[in-house]
Amino acid sequence: MTQIKLAYPKIPDSKNCPFKQCIAFEKYDGTNLHWVWDSELGWYAFGTRRNRFDLDEMGITDFNAAHPGLEEAASIFLRDFANALATIFHNNPDYHCPEIVVFTEFFGASSFAGMHKKEDSKQLVLFDVQTDKGMIEPEKFVKDFKELNIAKVVYRGKLTGKFIDDVREGKYNVAEGVICKGGKSSEDLWRVKIKTNAYLKRLQEVFKDNWKNYWE
C-alpha cells in the first residue's frame, strides 16, 4: 500500500456555485475508488481516495485486508470495465497519453455513508476520467463512455436556484443527491454537489450530532 495525495478532489457545495450550463449526474452513496492505466503496463494500480495498491493478486489481497466491505470491487472492475476502457483508450487519440486514472463509486442497494452490507449485490459506476490534461469535461465524458455503466444523467441545462431546491425536495428521484459539472475543457471545469433533504434527515437520525461529517 502507498499513501497518496487525495486521488479525487473534494467537491464544493452549492453555496457559491456558478449559475451556468451543466450536466447533473446522480451522486451515489458508496465508496470512491480510483483505477490507474498505463499505456504500456495496462491496469496496474487501484485504491481509495488516499491510498493505492498494485492491481495484482497480492495487491488485491492487501487491499481487501485493509478495506473490509470492499472485497468485491476489484473483481467487478476487471470483469465489467477493464477491457472496455482499454479499448476506448487505444482507439480514441484523445486518450493516447502515458497514464489515465478513472474514478468509480462502489455500492450496493443498502449502502449508506460509505458503509456496505455483505449480503447486497454490489456494482461500480464510472463517474470521471482523468488524462494528463486533467479531468474530462462532462459532455465528452458522456459521449465517450456512454456504453459503460456511467453515472446517470438526471438534468441538462442551466444550474438555477429552482433546480437546487427541486433536488433537495426529492423531485429528481435520487437517494443522496447530484453532482453538477460544467465547463468546456479541463481548464474551466467546475463541480458542485447538492444533496437531498431526505438524505440529510437520515444522516441526522443515524449520526446525531456528527451528521455534518457526512453532509456537503
Side-chain angles (χ1 to χ4, degrees):
M1 179 184 73
T2 302
Q3 293 298 127
I4 59 174
K5 294 198 308 183
L6 198 61
Y8 191 81
K10 181 174 174 57
I11 298 176
D13 61 27
S14 60
K15 187 181 301 180
N16 298 305
C17 65
F19 291 109
K20 298 180 179 180
Q21 293 295 121
C22 71
I23 299 179
F25 298 87
E26 180 166 3
K27 185 181 190 307
Y28 300 92
D29 190 359
T31 299
N32 182 319
L33 299 174
H34 72 282
W35 311 83
V36 190
W37 184 84
D38 179 274
S39 59
E40 295 183 359
L41 299 175
W43 296 105
Y44 77 92
F46 77 118
T48 65
R49 295 178 78 173
R50 294 189 180 278
N51 55 43
R52 182 171 291 179
F53 297 75
D54 292 335
L55 189 52
D56 57 19
E57 185 175 352
M58 181 177 293
I60 292 171
T61 298
D62 290 343
F63 173 85
N64 292 343
H67 299 289
L70 306 182
E71 293 89 349
E72 298 164 83
S75 60
I76 294 173
F77 180 81
L78 294 171
R79 181 192 70 202
D80 296 345
F81 289 93
N83 289 337
L85 284 167
T87 298
I88 293 171
F89 298 159
H90 284 300
N91 292 342
N92 189 328
D94 292 340
Y95 299 98
H96 291 177
C97 57
E99 185 173 282
I100 298 173
V101 183
V102 305
F103 299 91
T104 63
E105 196 79 4
F106 172 85
F107 62 96
S110 304
S111 295
F112 176 64
M115 299 177 288
H116 312 285
K117 291 191 175 180
K118 187 175 183 180
E119 63 270 21
D120 276 359
S121 175
K122 311 296 194 310
Q123 64 172 306
L124 289 174
V125 169
L126 179 70
F127 63 85
D128 259 323
V129 175
Q130 178 178 282
T131 70
D132 56 352
K133 296 179 180 178
M135 292 287 187
I136 299 301
E137 58 270 26
E139 288 287 358
K140 181 171 178 57
F141 173 80
V142 173
K143 175 177 175 290
D144 292 349
F145 301 100
K146 62 181 181 295
E147 300 302 323
L148 301 179
N149 189 29
I150 66 170
K152 183 177 73 174
V153 173
V154 299
Y155 173 81
R156 289 175 182 264
K158 187 177 181 180
L159 178 56
T160 64
K162 183 179 186 306
F163 174 73
I164 293 172
D165 290 342
D166 286 348
V167 170
R168 295 208 188 282
E169 293 170 9
K171 295 183 179 180
Y172 282 88
N173 193 31
V174 292
E176 182 178 356
V178 301
I179 300 293
C180 299
K181 301 178 183 179
K184 299 296 185 181
S185 70
S186 58
E187 285 77 22
D188 65 353
L189 183 66
W190 57 269
R191 301 179 183 84
V192 166
K193 61 185 172 185
I194 307 163
K195 297 187 180 182
T196 67
N197 293 330
Y199 189 74
L200 169 61
K201 183 178 179 181
R202 190 176 179 195
L203 289 176
Q204 291 172 332
E205 290 173 349
V206 173
F207 296 106
K208 308 302 180 186
D209 293 340
N210 294 322
W211 65 269
K212 290 182 180 179
N213 295 334
Y214 302 89
W215 185 235
E216 299 177 353

